Amino acid sequence: MRPHLKRLSDAAHGSGARQHGRARVVIADDHRMFLDAVSGLLTRRGFAVVGVAADGEEAVRIVTATQPDVAILDLIMPSLNGLDAARALLTSAHETAVVLVTGSGDLGFVLEGMTLGVRGFVVKTAAVEELFDAVKAASLGATYVSPAFEEAVKAALPTARVVGASPLTLREREVLRLIAEGKTSKQVASALRIAAKTADTHRTRIMRKLDIHDVAGLVRYAIRERIASA
C-alpha cells in the first residue's frame, strides 16, 4: 500500500500550481549510483531532471542557475550538507521547494528543516513511491513527511523547542565542518579559497560565539548540530 500524502500545511491548487508531470527537479547527492537511479526513476515518471550535483555548494549553484520547482537534497553531503544548502536557498528568496532525504531517522533534522521552510522529508530506506509523493507535494506547495517521522513529529511539535536560526553564519558553518573533519587552518583556507589568516579569524569567532575553546568540543557540536557526520 502506498503511503498517503501528509499535508501538514495545505496549499490551494491554483492555476499557477504545476502538475507533477511538468515539475522541474534538481537532485543532489554525493553517491553517484543514487543520483543516477533517482534521476532515471523521476524521468520515467514524467518529471524533468534539469540538473544533478555531487555536493551542497554545487547544488546551490545549479538551483540558482536553473530555478527548478523542486530540489532534492541529501542530508549528508560534502561542502554544504542538505540543511545548510536548504538554508542558503530558502533564505535568498528562491521559489524552489526543497525535499530532504536522509539515511537516518533523526527527528531533529525534520524539526530544523521545518523552521527553514523545507517541503519534504524522506528516508532513503522508504519505497521510491514516497519520494515521488514528496516531490509532487512540494511542487504543489504542500509539505510531505515520511510515515517514519509522522508520529514523532505529531508528538514533538506541540511541546518541542524547534531549532531556530543558527548562531553561526553559513561561512562559519562551512569552516566548522572542515575543522570537524580534521582540517588545519591552512587546509580550511585552501578548501574555501580564503587566506589562512581569514580561516583563523573564522575559527576564533566560532569558538567565541559557541563558547567552546577546544577542537574536540567543536567536533562534538558539529556532529550534534548535523553540520558534520560522525
Side-chain angles (χ1 to χ4, degrees):
M1 175 186 267
R2 285 180 56 180
H4 56 283
L5 213 59
K6 309 299 177 188
R7 293 186 182 274
L8 294 177
S9 62
D10 293 329
H13 293 193
S15 59
R18 293 178 182 266
Q19 299 301 317
H20 76 279
R22 292 179 291 164
R24 300 167 67 252
V25 182
V26 166
I27 312 165
D29 193 285
D30 59 332
H31 294 93
R32 188 76 212 184
M33 188 179 295
F34 180 86
L35 271 182
D36 290 344
V38 171
S39 179
L41 289 168
L42 287 173
T43 299
R44 287 194 288 275
R45 281 298 183 99
F47 296 95
V49 178
V50 297
V52 295
D55 61 60
E57 286 187 350
E58 186 181 15
V60 171
R61 287 196 299 272
I62 292 175
V63 170
T64 300
T66 61
Q67 294 290 303
D69 300 296
V70 181
I72 301 171
L73 307 177
D74 187 23
L75 180 62
I76 302 298
M77 293 187 290
S79 299
L80 289 178
N81 63 35
L83 278 172
D84 283 341
R87 183 178 285 105
L89 293 170
L90 297 174
T91 57
S92 56
H94 280 272
E95 296 295 326
T96 300
V98 173
V99 171
L100 285 173
V101 294
T102 177
S104 75
D106 182 4
L107 175 63
F109 99 89
V110 178
L111 299 179
E112 184 171 355
M114 284 183 168
T115 69
L116 296 174
V118 172
R119 287 292 185 177
F121 306 88
V122 180
V123 290
K124 285 186 174 180
T125 54
V128 70
E129 294 295 333
E130 279 198 39
L131 184 60
F132 295 146
D133 284 345
V135 174
K136 180 179 178 181
S139 71
L140 295 172
T143 298
Y144 180 94
V145 176
S146 171
F149 298 115
E150 181 188 1
E151 292 305 317
V153 168
K154 285 181 179 178
L157 284 179
T159 57
R161 182 182 70 81
V162 179
V163 178
S166 169
L168 304 178
T169 67
L170 193 58
R171 175 61 86 187
E172 287 166 350
R173 289 171 70 91
E174 289 179 297
V175 171
L176 178 56
R177 177 183 59 79
L178 292 169
I179 292 172
E181 291 175 358
K183 301 292 192 297
T184 64
S185 290
K186 186 175 180 180
Q187 290 170 324
V188 170
S190 176
L192 299 179
R193 298 184 177 88
I194 58 177
K197 185 176 180 180
T198 302
D200 282 330
T201 300
H202 281 309
R203 180 193 291 256
T204 300
R205 189 176 296 130
I206 290 166
M207 287 182 166
R208 184 172 65 248
K209 281 186 175 182
L210 301 180
D211 194 23
I212 297 173
H213 304 287
D214 60 88
V215 172
L218 290 177
V219 172
R220 288 193 295 271
Y221 178 90
I223 292 172
R224 185 173 68 248
E225 295 299 317
R226 296 171 296 283
I227 294 170
S229 57

